[in-house]
Amino acid sequence: MTDLSLTKQEKIEIVTALMQAKQAHDIEALLALYHPDCVLEQPSLGVRSCGHEQIRPGLEAFAHHFPDYERTFDGFAEDNETLVCWGQASMTLTGEIGGVKPNGARSKVMTFVTFKFDKGRIIHEGHYWDLATIARTSGVPAELFTKSESA
């Protein structure tokens, strides 16, 4: 069930707190903003996580691979159920991906994110970004980011 009682400004405040916690790699603060039954989807990475138990390892891996992640929001729109945010993310890929070491170059990509809320927390997040640009800038094949169908 989607929470229709939040104002657009309240939703933006929750999303801004999420962005700040993500940039600080504060996993506990992030989980506090996600509803326990939250669904987090990142189609370009082939990721769909449900609930805190599945979301936590993904957040930890993201913090490890993108330690300098920064994001800006350029705008917000909503219908009664969904808040959409768009802007730019910049990050440097670190560590190895599928045995390939990235080149250390910083990527900048346009992104948009959709959010739904329940009881003042995020119940659904859909994060969309240009993985091909991040891979190309980092010097690694984009296919290394996505989950294998046999996994």
Side-chain angles (χ1 to χ4, degrees):
M1 176 105 186
T2 300
D3 187 346
L4 303 178
S5 67
L6 293 174
T7 66
K8 181 179 180 181
Q9 186 56 42
E10 289 170 327
K11 293 172 186 176
I12 291 170
E13 289 170 6
I14 293 168
V15 168
T16 299
L18 183 80
M19 176 188 68
Q20 292 167 344
K22 193 174 281 189
Q23 288 176 176
H25 306 298
D26 187 341
I27 304 300
E28 297 310 316
L30 287 166
L31 290 174
L33 294 165
Y34 288 120
H35 187 283
D37 298 324
C38 181
V39 174
L40 176 58
E41 296 181 292
Q42 296 176 310
S44 61
L45 296 175
V47 172
R48 185 177 195 276
S49 304
C50 302
H52 286 187
E53 189 174 306
Q54 288 183 4
I55 290 172
R56 178 187 291 276
L59 294 172
E60 291 169 345
F62 186 87
H64 170 76
H65 286 294
F66 300 107
D68 63 349
Y69 176 77
E70 293 179 340
R71 145 163 223 106
T72 59
F73 292 127
D74 296 328
F76 302 91
E78 73 164 341
D79 62 15
N80 284 333
E81 292 187 13
T82 305
L83 178 72
V84 179
C85 312
W86 58 90
Q88 195 170 127
S90 55
M91 65 208 81
T92 307
L93 177 63
T94 62
E96 286 191 7
I97 300 290
V100 177
K101 185 167 175 62
N103 61 19
R106 189 160 174 83
S107 301
K108 289 186 181 182
V109 295
M110 295 300 296
T111 68
F112 76 93
V113 188
T114 60
F115 293 97
K116 292 186 181 196
F117 301 85
D118 186 25
K119 297 182 178 111
R121 296 165 85 182
I122 298 165
I123 189 73
H124 184 271
E125 177 182 349
H127 199 122
Y128 305 88
W129 53 357
D130 180 4
L131 179 62
T133 296
I134 295 169
R136 185 174 47 253
T137 303
S138 301
V140 299
E143 297 77 21
L144 295 179
F145 286 93
T146 59
K147 289 186 174 182
S148 165
E149 289 185 20
S150 62

